[in-house]
Amino acid sequence: MPLRTGLAGKDPVVMNAPSTIDLARISAMDLAHAARLLKGVHDATLSGQRPRLVPRPVIRESWERMLADGVDPDHGSRSPLLGEEELEERRRASPLREVLPVLGDALVSVADAAQHIMVVCDAQGRVLWREGSAAVLRKADSLGFEPGADWAESVVGTNGLGTPLVVRRPVQVFSAEHFVRTQHSWTCAGAPVTDPRDGRLLGVVDVSGPLRTMHPATLALVGSVAKLAEARLRERHVTALERLRAVAAPVLARLEGRAIAVDTHGWTAAVTGMPPADRLALPTSLAAGRTWLPSLGSCRVEPLPGGWLLRPEAPGGPPEPLPATRLVLDVSEPRRWTLSVFGGARDWTHELSPRHAELLYLLATHRKGRSASGLAQDMFGDPARTVTVRAELSRVRRYLGGGVLAHRPYRFHEDVEVEVVTPDSPARLLPHSVAPAIRDARSVAEP
């Protein structure tokens, strides 16, 4: 159920709004006093009382998820550690392995000097790597904060690894902002790292340490380093596309008709006989042979080193409309959302970006349609931001096809059945989203 929070008094020292804790001002206080203050907020809130101060929104919403998940605030829980073989396999498979030098060069020396440690987890919240102060590493061991441990929010509560995985933005968690009391002597700041090729969440880089090491600037530092890591991954992607282009160019030169070479994520490396597109939406699984794509229609698929050669079979023009009769929008998971399209032999599933999951959920709950300004108000609280809405929905229409999504107003076609699969609790709906309409939907009280 939603937390009962309120305000019985004012403390201007720690507030930048009449009822919300200001972490920057908290950090300027005596840390022992700040910890006691936050502990009072934690205890009052979790007991259903009205605390003097309201937790920050990102913390309050996380606590609501923890209550809905049944996480024990006194002890939390611990999953078994990964075995050595599985841990090494996850490390080898993680794209974050490629940017470990970037993360280490930027953070480890700073973390060590400040009595912190740097921790990197994968998209499931499993700790893969950590470095830093030996004394702090020993302290982390006592908390179960060690390689192979599961620090997903649903397991160990609000924390600097698991919570950024859920909300997909940097989060700092100080003392009693942790949901589980055994972590109240700890401070941490984590930022998610996403794959620039497809927006997939790769994991979180975090800087953590004992309570006395808390500093509000840590969050900005970690967030900047995460962006630096994403930039390095983007550079590697550009290099890979250049290699694919070098392979594909002589192949395309020998072909007649239309053809396009794309990498495994759908990014275009080379094209002939048709207008270029930055990226094509590919099905979750693609294999050599014949397939159907909304943007190309029926086409032949041939493997290339690092990608695919797609040869549309129609002589030209737009592909035939997608004969969709039913859509299933699944937003029940905290970090993965899909749209499944059913229409006979061309059934397929597309994994959604965070922004597209938000937009399609809003359209699914407004079957009569929404104008661009209405969606801008829903998404950003600003009806003037129509350019962003139109650009995103244009991308959606490219992989759905014109037979599914109409415009003026934007809506699903009336003859298409739309099913929305939502979480058991409203508090867990698209937890990354800060869109006003999504936040309103999350705040709906459970029966």
Side-chain angles (χ1 to χ4, degrees), residues 143-165:
L143 295 172
F145 201 31
E146 53 191 311
D150 187 350
W151 273 70
E153 190 189 61
S154 59
V155 175
V156 297
T158 309
N159 72 90
L161 288 177
T163 301
L165 282 176

Side-chain angles (χ1 to χ4, degrees), residues 87-88 90-98 100 103 118-122 126-131 146-148 161 204 206:
L87 177 59
E88 286 304 317
R90 289 200 183 209
R91 286 171 169 170
R92 283 192 295 269
S94 174
L96 293 177
R97 184 184 188 92
E98 302 173 5
L100 270 181
L103 300 176
M118 180 193 77
V119 183
V120 179
C121 76
D122 64 16
R126 289 286 183 172
V127 176
L128 298 184
W129 297 280
R130 60 176 200 170
E131 293 185 63
E146 53 191 311
L161 288 177
V204 166
D206 166 273

Side-chain angles (χ1 to χ4, degrees), residues 226-406:
K227 292 300 181 186
L228 182 63
E230 291 175 351
R232 185 61 52 87
L233 289 171
R234 191 173 294 107
E235 292 172 3
R236 296 177 71 92
H237 178 221
V238 170
T239 301
L241 274 179
E242 291 292 344
R243 287 197 297 266
L244 177 57
R245 184 173 295 114
V247 171
V251 176
L252 294 180
R254 296 193 298 269
L255 297 177
E256 295 182 359
R258 300 187 299 157
I260 183 169
V262 298
D263 70 5
T264 55
H265 297 271
W267 290 95
T268 300
V271 64
T272 185
M274 55 191 294
D278 289 340
R279 187 184 182 196
L280 301 181
L282 301 181
T284 304
S285 59
L286 187 64
R290 280 183 169 83
T291 191
W292 187 92
L293 300 176
S295 55
L296 297 178
S298 297
C299 58
R300 289 164 55 192
V301 181
E302 301 173 20
L304 290 172
W308 301 99
L309 177 65
L310 307 176
R311 302 181 65 182
E313 296 185 327
E320 64 270 31
L322 177 65
T325 57
R326 181 168 173 262
L327 303 176
V328 177
L329 175 64
D330 189 340
V331 292
S332 61
E333 299 298 321
R335 296 189 295 276
R336 183 177 184 269
W337 318 280
T338 60
L339 184 69
S340 297
V341 182
F342 299 95
R346 294 169 180 163
D347 299 350
W348 65 304
T349 296
H350 181 71
E351 189 165 337
L352 300 170
S353 69
R355 179 62 54 80
H356 290 180
E358 294 169 328
L359 282 168
L360 290 174
Y361 173 80
L362 292 171
L363 290 177
T365 55
H366 293 86
R367 286 306 306 272
K368 292 184 178 180
R370 293 289 278 164
S371 65
S373 61
L375 285 171
Q377 177 66 41
D378 292 341
M379 291 289 296
F380 310 112
D382 180 1
R385 292 187 61 178
T386 57
V387 172
T388 302
V389 167
R390 290 193 177 101
E392 292 294 345
L393 286 174
S394 176
R395 296 184 182 100
V396 172
R397 286 169 59 85
R398 279 203 293 271
Y399 61 73
L400 282 184
V404 175
L405 197 63

